[in-house]
Amino acid sequence: MENFKIREGGFKEIRNALLIKAIPISLLAASAGLAISHFNSNGQPDDVNVLPYVIPMMLAAMAFGLYRGVNRQKVIFDSYKLSVDDLSIVREQHNTPTITIDNNELTEIIKKSDGGFVIKGNSAVNVIAVPAQINEIEKLEKLLAEKKPISTQSNESFLQKYNRILSLFTIGLMVIVYTDKDKIVVGICGTVLLMLLGYSFYETQRSKNIDNKTKKGMWWLILVTASIIGVMYFKLTT
């Protein structure tokens, strides 16, 4: 059996990319929250006066959350272990479901443009993502090629391909639902928003490449969903 782990300093190579993705979305979500709050208070002067206090607190909370999130991702990323033997490929990672793909279940091996790999089993949830920061990657590629020819092209899932756009779209829909008064607009946007949130929740919960803490954190969507349904009901029935 051959074991492969993340090389020394591997997380530093992806940390900036994580922050570049997370910071704009976090700022936009915070801005949307402030806009919704301001709109629903009808722009009263008292609401504006508290902004100099609320905004720094919100930014501090966001910075703290990002700091903790990045540190948690580092622990998870650094714990990555890929084991390859004659019968199977096994991925183990901290607080994340173990994935085992037997040779007879192996359907496709894809080499990504960044040098990493995607190893697909016989179901949508049996997918092993191998980061480019894995050690001895040339040796790993040779072992994988012995199991199945490696391709370089594959269609990503809808959620993976348009993840950032969907995040922006979701925030926009939420602002519309909470601020618009037109029943048709609220009804359409609210329905689409609920479908997106439901799809995101479903994909997150069934994925074996997402850690358990993140999955547990997704249950807050139930409260968000209840709030959206309540707002829609109130606006559509009054």
Side-chain angles (χ1 to χ4, degrees), residues 114-211:
D114 65 357
F117 298 92
V118 176
I119 304 169
K120 294 187 176 184
N122 58 359
S123 71
V125 295
N126 263 9
V127 177
I128 296 175
V130 183
Q133 292 73 28
I134 202 81
N135 66 346
E136 299 184 284
I137 196 165
E138 295 84 4
K139 181 179 180 181
L140 172 61
E141 183 172 0
K142 183 179 179 181
L143 289 174
L144 294 178
E146 291 174 357
K147 289 181 175 291
K148 203 170 192 66
I150 299 175
S151 61
T152 56
Q153 293 182 347
S154 178
N155 294 325
E156 294 181 314
S157 71
F158 182 82
L159 192 63
Q160 290 174 325
K161 194 172 183 179
Y162 299 104
N163 185 43
R164 190 177 299 185
I165 295 176
L166 280 175
S167 297
L168 297 175
F169 187 53
T170 300
I171 293 172
L173 288 175
M174 191 166 293
V175 171
I176 292 173
V177 169
Y178 279 90
T179 60
D180 204 290
K181 296 181 180 180
D182 187 282
K183 291 185 178 181
I184 296 177
V185 173
V186 171
I188 294 174
C189 291
T191 301
V192 175
L193 178 59
L194 291 173
M195 291 173 63
L196 284 175
L197 293 178
Y199 178 73
S200 177
F201 180 83
Y202 171 74
E203 286 292 324
T204 299
Q205 295 302 318
R206 76 172 188 148
S207 174
K208 293 183 179 180
N209 287 292
I210 297 177
D211 64 281

Side-chain angles (χ1 to χ4, degrees), residues 8-21:
E8 188 72 24
F11 183 75
K12 291 181 180 179
E13 299 177 17
I14 68 166
R15 181 177 55 193
N16 290 341
L18 288 175
L19 291 174
I20 288 172
K21 290 180 181 179

Side-chain angles (χ1 to χ4, degrees), residues 33-47:
L34 289 174
I36 291 172
S37 175
H38 179 67
F39 181 87
N40 289 334
S41 66
N42 296 318
Q44 296 178 3
D46 290 343
D47 179 61

